[in-house]
mmCIF file of all heavy atoms in Angstrom:
data_model
loop_
_atom_site.group_PDB
_atom_site.id
_atom_site.type_symbol
_atom_site.label_atom_id
_atom_site.label_comp_id
_atom_site.label_asym_id
_atom_site.label_seq_id
_atom_site.Cartn_x
_atom_site.Cartn_y
_atom_site.Cartn_z
ATOM 1 N N ASN A 177 140.077 114.185 134.225
ATOM 2 C CA ASN A 177 140.995 113.093 134.535
ATOM 3 C C ASN A 177 141.321 113.146 136.018
ATOM 4 O O ASN A 177 141.128 114.167 136.671
ATOM 5 C CB ASN A 177 142.265 113.145 133.663
ATOM 6 C CG ASN A 177 143.006 114.444 133.830
ATOM 7 O OD1 ASN A 177 143.456 114.770 134.920
ATOM 8 N ND2 ASN A 177 143.132 115.207 132.747
ATOM 9 N N VAL A 178 141.799 112.048 136.563
ATOM 10 C CA VAL A 178 142.012 111.950 138.005
ATOM 11 C C VAL A 178 143.068 112.933 138.505
ATOM 12 O O VAL A 178 143.003 113.395 139.644
ATOM 13 C CB VAL A 178 142.311 110.486 138.418
ATOM 14 C CG1 VAL A 178 143.720 110.081 138.025
ATOM 15 C CG2 VAL A 178 142.064 110.273 139.898
ATOM 16 N N GLU A 179 144.014 113.305 137.653
ATOM 17 C CA GLU A 179 145.048 114.260 138.055
ATOM 18 C C GLU A 179 144.464 115.640 138.366
ATOM 19 O O GLU A 179 144.992 116.373 139.193
ATOM 20 C CB GLU A 179 146.125 114.391 136.971
ATOM 21 C CG GLU A 179 146.991 113.158 136.802
ATOM 22 C CD GLU A 179 146.328 112.070 135.955
ATOM 23 O OE1 GLU A 179 145.387 112.372 135.191
ATOM 24 O OE2 GLU A 179 146.754 110.902 136.085
ATOM 25 N N ASP A 180 143.355 116.000 137.717
ATOM 26 C CA ASP A 180 142.702 117.294 137.970
ATOM 27 C C ASP A 180 142.056 117.363 139.351
ATOM 28 O O ASP A 180 141.749 118.433 139.840
ATOM 29 C CB ASP A 180 141.641 117.595 136.906
ATOM 30 C CG ASP A 180 142.258 117.977 135.579
ATOM 31 O OD1 ASP A 180 143.475 118.247 135.531
ATOM 32 O OD2 ASP A 180 141.513 117.998 134.583
ATOM 33 N N PHE A 181 141.820 116.206 139.960
ATOM 34 C CA PHE A 181 141.212 116.195 141.290
ATOM 35 C C PHE A 181 142.231 116.554 142.368
ATOM 36 O O PHE A 181 141.877 117.097 143.407
ATOM 37 C CB PHE A 181 140.609 114.815 141.589
ATOM 38 C CG PHE A 181 139.802 114.806 142.843
ATOM 39 C CD1 PHE A 181 138.518 115.320 142.844
ATOM 40 C CD2 PHE A 181 140.331 114.311 144.021
ATOM 41 C CE1 PHE A 181 137.775 115.340 144.012
ATOM 42 C CE2 PHE A 181 139.588 114.318 145.179
ATOM 43 C CZ PHE A 181 138.301 114.831 145.181
ATOM 44 N N ASP A 182 143.485 116.258 142.131
ATOM 45 C CA ASP A 182 144.560 116.523 143.093
ATOM 46 C C ASP A 182 144.801 118.026 143.141
ATOM 47 O O ASP A 182 145.655 118.555 142.447
ATOM 48 C CB ASP A 182 145.819 115.775 142.647
ATOM 49 C CG ASP A 182 146.802 115.589 143.778
ATOM 50 O OD1 ASP A 182 147.265 116.608 144.314
ATOM 51 O OD2 ASP A 182 147.088 114.438 144.117
ATOM 52 N N SER A 183 144.021 118.730 143.975
ATOM 53 C CA SER A 183 144.066 120.192 143.993
ATOM 54 C C SER A 183 143.365 120.741 145.232
ATOM 55 O O SER A 183 142.916 119.991 146.088
ATOM 56 C CB SER A 183 143.405 120.760 142.731
ATOM 57 O OG SER A 183 142.039 120.394 142.697
ATOM 58 N N THR A 184 143.255 122.062 145.280
ATOM 59 C CA THR A 184 142.618 122.758 146.394
ATOM 60 C C THR A 184 141.194 123.149 146.028
ATOM 61 O O THR A 184 140.946 123.674 144.951
ATOM 62 C CB THR A 184 143.420 124.026 146.759
ATOM 63 O OG1 THR A 184 144.745 123.626 147.115
ATOM 64 C CG2 THR A 184 142.795 124.769 147.910
ATOM 65 N N PHE A 185 140.272 122.889 146.943
ATOM 66 C CA PHE A 185 138.867 123.256 146.798
ATOM 67 C C PHE A 185 138.537 124.277 147.881
ATOM 68 O O PHE A 185 139.074 124.212 148.986
ATOM 69 C CB PHE A 185 137.967 122.034 146.958
ATOM 70 C CG PHE A 185 138.020 121.081 145.806
ATOM 71 C CD1 PHE A 185 139.086 120.212 145.653
ATOM 72 C CD2 PHE A 185 136.996 121.048 144.866
ATOM 73 C CE1 PHE A 185 139.139 119.323 144.588
ATOM 74 C CE2 PHE A 185 137.038 120.158 143.804
ATOM 75 C CZ PHE A 185 138.110 119.295 143.661
ATOM 76 N N TRP A 186 137.628 125.212 147.581
ATOM 77 C CA TRP A 186 137.263 126.290 148.502
ATOM 78 C C TRP A 186 135.784 126.247 148.856
ATOM 79 O O TRP A 186 134.954 125.887 148.037
ATOM 80 C CB TRP A 186 137.563 127.640 147.873
ATOM 81 C CG TRP A 186 139.021 127.894 147.721
ATOM 82 C CD1 TRP A 186 139.803 127.566 146.654
ATOM 83 C CD2 TRP A 186 139.885 128.505 148.672
ATOM 84 N NE1 TRP A 186 141.108 127.933 146.879
ATOM 85 C CE2 TRP A 186 141.179 128.525 148.109
ATOM 86 C CE3 TRP A 186 139.698 129.050 149.943
ATOM 87 C CZ2 TRP A 186 142.272 129.054 148.783
ATOM 88 C CZ3 TRP A 186 140.781 129.582 150.594
ATOM 89 C CH2 TRP A 186 142.051 129.581 150.028
ATOM 90 N N ALA A 187 135.460 126.659 150.087
ATOM 91 C CA ALA A 187 134.065 126.771 150.533
ATOM 92 C C ALA A 187 133.991 127.716 151.717
ATOM 93 O O ALA A 187 134.998 127.992 152.376
ATOM 94 C CB ALA A 187 133.512 125.412 150.933
ATOM 95 N N ILE A 188 132.796 128.210 151.973
ATOM 96 C CA ILE A 188 132.516 128.915 153.222
ATOM 97 C C ILE A 188 131.604 128.002 154.011
ATOM 98 O O ILE A 188 130.596 127.521 153.492
ATOM 99 C CB ILE A 188 131.840 130.273 152.986
ATOM 100 C CG1 ILE A 188 132.820 131.215 152.323
ATOM 101 C CG2 ILE A 188 131.335 130.844 154.294
ATOM 102 C CD1 ILE A 188 132.279 132.578 152.053
#
Side-chain angles (χ1 to χ4, degrees):
N177 58 61
V178 75
E179 291 81 20
D180 287 347
F181 188 78
D182 200 299
S183 63
T184 301
F185 288 77
W186 291 89
I188 292 181

